[in-house]
Amino acid sequence: MHVNTGRVPVASVRLLLPSPVVELADDRMARHGLRLFLKRDDLIHPELPGNKWRKLKYNLQAAAEQGHRTLLTFGGAYSNHIRATAAAGRHFGFSTIGVIRGEEHRPLNESLAYAAAQGMLLTYLDRTAYRRKADPELIAGLRERFGEFYLIPEGGSNALAVRGCAELPAEIDVPFDVICCACGTGGTLAGLAAALPPGRRALGFAALKGGRFLDEEVDRLQHEAHGENSGDWSIEYGFHFGGFARRTSDLDAFIADFTARHGVTLEWVYVAKMMYGIFALAERGAFAEGTRIVAVITG
Ligand SMILES: Cc1ncc(COP(=O)(O)O)c(C=O)c1O
């Protein structure tokens, strides 16, 4: 894709789109009469993988069209979205500012060191202030400090992100009944669900504990993007493994076994929890025999 800001070198980034769809041969699915396909969005680009690219695509375009030179966004110290925004800035010629939750810790962890190496300016907000990240007063304060910027919300989820994620279902060239994705802010599910052909449903897996607000968020994002709540979707809340960025030995064993069987190492904060959930639901008989499931590998 090309985003020409008119002031900086035009970036040309090679993206693997549409991303591949591959069927997984797994006896745990076959014995329930189920078929499982992986939508390998993780292969779109090494630095802009999966839903990161889909969410940023129209935001980058909007930023360029509105004449912005700088992107500012929010995230935790291990945020994949912060990393991807930093990389996108470098590739597409924007300065980037990352507003990070919590105190600064030196040396920087690997994620923040990567973001800084892409040229991202890092600044920090204590946890109380960070909760106000959508507050116009706080944003105005950031504008006073840093000048004009194009604002991308935490996790990259806004109406344009939903629009980008809504492009995914049309890329799936096999018949399917259910599409699954992991949920953090709900933007990916909002987009996928809005673009489903009739008769299909979308199933999200919350990666955080107490994520019940996600139903409202998906609803809100769909309204923001398309003016209505659309598509047949629901969220599973039983596979968070203790909460966001928490893991258990059971989840670790599942990931190791999945790598051994299929040669695919699942990203553990989101994707592995979804995949574990799909296999657990299959085992419980939650999918009718003959169901064809697509699991989106979002990173
Ligand atoms: C790999 C991966 N999968 C899924 C998600 C969740 O996506 P969303 O925040 O749109 O619900 C994220 C977070 O953005 C992620 O990094």
Side-chain angles (χ1 to χ4, degrees):
M1 174 176 152
H2 298 266
V3 174
N4 188 350
T5 65
R7 297 169 296 277
V8 287
V10 177
S12 177
V13 178
R14 290 174 76 84
L15 301 161
L16 184 62
L17 283 169
S19 65
V21 177
V22 290
E23 183 162 10
L24 204 69
D26 195 304
D27 53 343
R28 295 168 294 180
M29 288 286 140
R31 71 168 171 257
H32 296 286
L34 305 173
R35 293 178 69 187
L36 178 60
F37 301 86
L38 306 186
K39 173 71 169 149
R40 294 294 307 271
D41 262 20
D42 55 317
L43 302 178
I44 290 177
H45 187 278
E47 293 175 296
L48 304 165
N51 61 351
K52 299 293 158 295
W53 168 251
R54 294 193 189 272
K55 288 186 195 182
L56 283 169
K57 175 181 171 186
Y58 290 112
N59 277 295
L60 295 172
Q61 244 171 44
E65 278 163 21
Q66 291 165 25
H68 286 283
R69 291 163 175 269
T70 303
L71 310 173
L72 179 142
T73 195
F74 294 86
Y78 294 91
S79 165
N80 291 328
H81 165 68
I82 288 284
R83 291 176 70 110
T85 305
R90 182 171 62 76
H91 284 296
F92 294 102
F94 295 97
S95 306
T96 53
I97 302 170
V99 184
I100 310 301
R101 181 180 58 233
E103 306 296 313
E104 179 177 18
H105 292 286
R106 289 273 169 179
L108 295 176
N109 72 31
E110 192 264 327
S111 291
L112 295 184
Y114 169 88
Q118 306 305 302
M120 181 175 257
L121 172 68
L122 298 174
T123 181
Y124 298 81
L125 281 183
D126 67 57
R127 279 158 202 276
T128 315
Y130 190 88
R131 268 185 227 119
R132 294 171 44 230
K133 59 193 174 292
D135 184 335
E137 226 178 281
L138 186 128
I139 306 291
L142 291 169
R143 287 216 157 86
E144 260 169 47
R145 255 177 89 191
F146 297 111
E148 262 314 307
F149 50 74
Y150 181 89
L151 177 68
I152 303 178
E154 184 183 45
S157 286
N158 59 11
L160 292 177
V162 171
R163 206 176 125 200
C165 292
E167 293 181 342
L168 187 150
E171 292 179 14
I172 302 172
D173 56 1
V174 295
F176 69 95
D177 305 291
V178 182
I179 186 164
C180 299
C181 71
C183 296
T185 59
T188 307
L189 179 63
L192 294 184
L196 285 183
R200 322 280 169 86
R201 69 184 174 99
L203 185 54
F205 291 81
L208 25 83
K209 194 155 86 181
R212 296 271 163 188
F213 70 92
L214 269 172
D215 277 276
E216 275 170 35
E217 268 306 287
V218 174
D219 207 21
R220 183 187 69 76
L221 285 161
Q222 285 196 332
H223 273 92
E224 208 180 299
H226 305 294
E228 58 176 3
N229 177 306
S230 47
D232 179 358
W233 59 268
S234 59
I235 301 178
E236 277 291 332
Y237 288 99
F239 301 101
H240 58 67
F241 294 87
F244 184 66
R246 297 285 171 89
R247 58 205 294 174
T248 64
S249 51
D250 203 20
L251 182 67
D252 289 343
F254 175 80
I255 294 171
D257 176 64
F258 196 92
T259 308
R261 285 175 191 252
H262 302 299
V264 176
T265 300
L266 301 170
E267 182 274 343
W268 69 272
V269 178
Y270 291 97
V271 179
K273 293 182 179 182
M274 167 198 68
M275 197 64 80
Y276 187 109
I278 293 172
F279 280 89
L281 291 180
E283 197 54 38
R284 280 183 215 160
F287 299 111
E289 198 177 328
T291 302
R292 295 154 303 188
I293 303 162
V294 173
V296 182
I297 309 299
T298 38

